[in-house]
Amino acid sequence: AAAMLRELRRRWRSYKYRFVPWLALNLRRQRRTLRYVPESSQDKIIADEDVFETLLKTFKALFINNFSRQADILAILPEVKCQYLELLTVERSKVKSCNQGQHVSSPEEVLFNTLGFTVSRDRSSLASAGTGVFVTKGFVPKGTVVSMYPGTVYRKHEPIFFQSLGNPFIFRCIDGVLIDGNDKGLSRSVYRSCSRRDQLGPFQMSDESWLTATPQNPLAVGQYVNNCSHEKAANVCYQEFDVPGHFPVELKQYLPNIVYSHDIERLAAILVTLRDIEEGEELFSNYYTVVS
């Protein structure tokens, strides 16, 4: 009985920050876990253009690193193939100068070589918090995209009730849009179904690998970032990002979000650093943004 009670307490500590009645009752006492913005249009730590450029740079590096597996896509896009061949030539010249041969890097190595850091999941430094996310290598400057929040994107009226039961991984955007970042159970099945629905021939419109222990996009671990506390102040903050229509189709295979209704724009949530973060530090966020 005592063990069951401890488990219930642990689950409640994780879930309560997404439970609206709890928030309403505890708003004043929990100001440090909340981020206030005067209006939703000002909910930007960095510009959308900077987010776009970071994702583009990272995804291009992942694409080139896995170039031999992109033959079907490149056969349909000859102009794009020429551009990537030029980038690949430059990359190979760098590799040869480092005497690394034709080594294919891991996604974490690609992230480090591109942005100067790696992030990964590990046991949280918070007692009873379970899994957390750490900067495992390198240095992350203030105002950097350090992670992405993966999952299925739902509008307010769309069916998410059964997926939400016992699910601590549902992120609520300012406009009420929800992102289900659970990689297990019904949530996992819905994401995979929508992802395969949207696939166009060899073009994958989203990344399914975040559902596994080895995501091909190493940034797609944001759902495991723990909420800050009085002892652990937030060092990252959520920011919403509308993926533009001109996002390169060959790079959409690395986007860890899918929309439940395919007729709406793709939306993503990213995590941006609020200060410089050193190697070995755990990431802590604000689960809620309160719009005045």
Side-chain angles (χ1 to χ4, degrees):
M4 184 181 294
L5 191 60
R6 282 196 298 271
E7 177 63 16
L8 287 171
R9 278 205 202 101
R10 186 189 70 78
R11 285 179 174 272
W12 171 245
R13 278 194 293 267
S14 175
Y15 187 66
K16 66 182 179 180
Y17 298 106
R18 302 177 190 280
F19 187 59
V20 174
W22 181 92
L23 175 68
L25 291 171
N26 291 272
L27 194 59
R28 291 186 178 180
R29 287 186 296 174
Q30 296 293 329
R31 288 184 67 88
R32 289 190 60 186
T33 71
L34 304 169
R35 179 163 60 93
Y36 289 81
V37 292
E39 53 185 84
S40 59
S41 62
Q42 297 181 28
D43 180 41
K44 300 290 179 185
I45 305 299
I46 61 175
D48 282 346
E49 292 76 14
D50 295 333
V51 176
F52 179 81
E53 290 302 322
T54 298
L55 298 185
L56 202 62
K57 183 179 179 181
T58 305
F59 293 179
K60 278 185 175 180
L62 291 168
F63 188 91
I64 291 170
N65 184 61
N66 235 346
F67 197 76
S68 61
R69 297 185 181 179
Q70 309 293 344
D72 291 344
I73 290 175
L74 295 171
I76 302 173
L77 303 171
E79 292 183 6
V80 170
K81 182 178 181 178
C82 291
Q83 295 171 11
Y84 281 107
L85 282 172
E86 290 177 12
L87 291 171
L88 186 62
T89 302
V90 173
E91 198 64 28
R92 281 178 175 167
S93 66
K94 289 180 184 176
V95 170
K96 286 179 182 177
S97 68
C98 296
N99 296 318
Q100 292 179 354
Q102 298 299 314
H103 171 66
V104 176
S105 302
S106 69
E108 291 74 22
E109 289 173 321
V110 173
L111 182 63
F112 180 77
N113 293 334
T114 306
L115 299 183
F117 64 85
T118 61
V119 289
S120 63
R121 294 169 281 188
D122 204 347
R123 183 164 186 79
S124 175
S125 59
L126 289 176
S128 303
T131 302
V133 178
F134 293 79
V135 175
T136 46
K137 187 178 179 182
F139 168 80
V140 191
K142 177 182 177 180
T144 300
V145 176
V146 72
S147 189
M148 301 181 73
Y149 199 102
T152 307
V153 179
Y154 293 88
R155 289 177 290 185
K156 295 178 187 178
H157 65 277
E158 291 175 334
I160 194 174
F161 175 77
F162 290 106
Q163 296 92 305
S164 72
L165 296 176
N167 182 357
F169 294 109
I170 296 177
F171 175 78
R172 186 183 186 278
C173 301
I174 283 179
D175 58 2
V177 168
L178 302 172
I179 303 178
D180 182 3
N182 194 355
D183 56 12
K184 298 177 181 65
L186 181 58
S187 301
R188 174 192 182 95
S189 299
V190 170
Y191 185 92
R192 283 191 159 170
S193 176
C194 292
S195 178
R196 291 165 188 178
R197 171 202 67 192
D198 289 355
Q199 185 168 342
L200 298 173
F203 296 102
Q204 291 183 324
M205 296 294 106
S206 64
D207 175 23
E208 286 188 29
S209 69
W210 70 271
L211 298 167
T212 72
T214 54
Q216 66 172 353
N217 173 3
L219 291 173
V221 292
Q223 78 276 37
Y224 285 103
V225 173
N226 281 304
N227 191 44
C228 60
S229 66
H230 292 295
E231 294 77 30
K232 303 279 187 176
N235 52 21
V236 299
C237 197
Y238 295 105
Q239 179 172 316
E240 293 155 30
F241 174 68
D242 292 322
V243 179
H246 62 274
F247 197 88
V249 67
E250 73 276 7
L251 299 180
K252 288 185 177 180
Q253 62 183 290
Y254 301 109
L255 287 171
N257 297 99
I258 196 80
V259 291
Y260 184 79
S261 295
H262 65 279
D263 59 336
I264 63 171
E265 291 184 6
R266 180 81 61 92
L267 180 137
I270 50 108
L271 288 94
V272 180
T273 52
L274 295 171
R275 61 168 175 81
D276 294 348
I277 300 180
E278 304 285 343
E279 184 174 310
E281 285 193 71
E282 184 174 358
L283 303 182
F284 293 102
S285 65
N286 292 320
Y287 274 1
Y288 272 101
T289 296
V290 175
V291 184
S292 302

